[in-house]
Amino acid sequence: MKMKNSIIPIIICIAIPLVVGFVSSYITRGAMSTFQTLYKPKLAPPGWLFPVAWTILYVLMGLASYMLYRSDHSLKAYALCIYAIQLFFNFCWSIIFFNREMYWFALVWLLTMWVIIIALIVVSARISFVAMLLLIPLFLWTTFAAYLNFSIARLN
């Protein structure tokens, strides 16, 4: 029974960002047809890649949050608070960009999220090297998303 209880926190930590991502994609599903008609930069990936990439990123985020959660470091609560804030910004960006079509505001929102992710990585590095490594793909993808967001805002 002890083994079963020990996996519950990791399941919850992975489920939280996956649920946030699912709800966000559910809310924005109707705006995808409009997105397909937008002018996009040459480096824009095919549409099928986004849900695959975000699923992987959400799992990595969940694993990172688990590494932070299981720590007894004095910065644990602070790191988890930053994590929750970036998850909120992540959730809202999709709605701002896809549903509201506020591309320039979405870029400002995304750049704010980018700074929050950097802060999360810096704090995580003090708590868990593995958690920090698990967050690097989120930073890289968000950097690429900022390029896409800027290009779409400029082109449309």
Side-chain angles (χ1 to χ4, degrees):
M1 192 69 167
K2 187 174 183 170
M3 173 111 150
K4 195 173 198 179
N5 289 336
S6 67
I7 66 166
I8 291 173
I10 195 166
I11 291 170
I12 291 170
C13 286
I14 292 170
I16 289 171
L18 285 171
V19 168
V20 167
F22 174 78
V23 171
S24 178
S25 68
Y26 182 79
I27 291 170
T28 60
R29 74 189 183 288
M32 289 301 121
S33 58
T34 302
F35 179 72
Q36 298 305 324
T37 65
L38 295 175
Y39 294 107
K40 296 176 199 69
K42 292 180 183 177
L43 294 179
W48 62 264
L49 182 62
F50 291 99
V52 172
W54 276 110
T55 301
I56 293 167
L57 291 169
Y58 287 137
V59 169
L60 293 175
M61 289 164 55
L63 290 170
S65 72
Y66 173 73
M67 301 301 289
L68 298 172
Y69 168 78
R70 74 180 194 147
S71 165
D72 59 359
H73 196 282
S74 63
L75 292 173
K76 169 185 167 175
Y78 181 62
L80 289 172
C81 182
I82 296 171
Y83 173 78
I85 292 168
Q86 76 78 30
L87 200 55
F88 171 77
F89 268 74
N90 191 313
F91 175 82
C92 292
W93 178 86
S94 298
I95 296 165
I96 295 165
F97 185 89
F98 292 110
N99 286 34
R100 307 307 281 164
E101 299 177 23
M102 300 170 67
Y103 305 127
W104 289 110
F105 180 68
L107 178 62
V108 172
W109 190 269
L110 184 67
L111 292 174
T112 304
M113 182 173 77
W114 189 76
V115 171
I116 294 167
I117 292 168
I118 291 171
L120 177 59
I121 289 170
V122 169
V123 172
S124 295
R126 296 182 64 192
I127 300 170
S128 167
F129 182 74
V130 174
M132 180 209 62
L133 289 177
L134 291 167
L135 294 166
I136 297 296
L138 175 63
F139 169 77
L140 295 173
W141 185 260
T142 303
T143 302
F144 182 63
Y147 155 77
L148 291 174
N149 191 151
F150 171 78
S151 298
I152 289 169
R154 189 175 52 82
L155 293 170
N156 292 279

